[in-house]
Amino acid sequence: MEELKLNLDARNQGAFVVTENGEQLGEMALAITGDEMIVYHTEVVPQAEGRGLAKQLLNAMVSYARTNHLKVIPLCPYVHAQFKRHPQDFEDIWKKNEDE
């Protein structure tokens, strides 16, 4: 069974990580500064692709952002694509830049 948790260091940099039987299957790298969360990168190992792990990471990140009243800056191509594809689902947390 998969386990998903947030690991942050003292500077509020880290990742949401999904593991199974002690093996890391995926991560979403991020940093939190003030009331903003910058999401840099999402990656799932090739052997775990197609299991919806990236979506689980996205859901965990969105839930955390809402709970902690954070605005998300989606630098990660996957997260940015999801935000653009379903803007109504993320408009409350999405910090858009001027050209979006």
Side-chain angles (χ1 to χ4, degrees), residues 73-100:
I73 301 170
L75 300 182
C76 166
Y78 170 74
V79 175
H80 191 251
Q82 293 302 313
F83 278 29
K84 285 188 81 152
R85 201 170 291 140
H86 309 283
Q88 70 284 359
D89 295 340
F90 306 109
E91 62 189 342
D92 61 320
I93 60 167
W94 185 5
K95 182 166 184 175
K96 296 180 182 181
N97 60 34
E98 290 82 35
D99 54 340
E100 289 182 297

Side-chain angles (χ1 to χ4, degrees), residues 47-61:
Q47 63 267 29
E49 288 178 359
R51 293 174 44 185
L53 298 180
K55 182 72 170 171
Q56 287 181 37
L57 290 164
L58 176 69
N59 290 341
M61 180 275 294

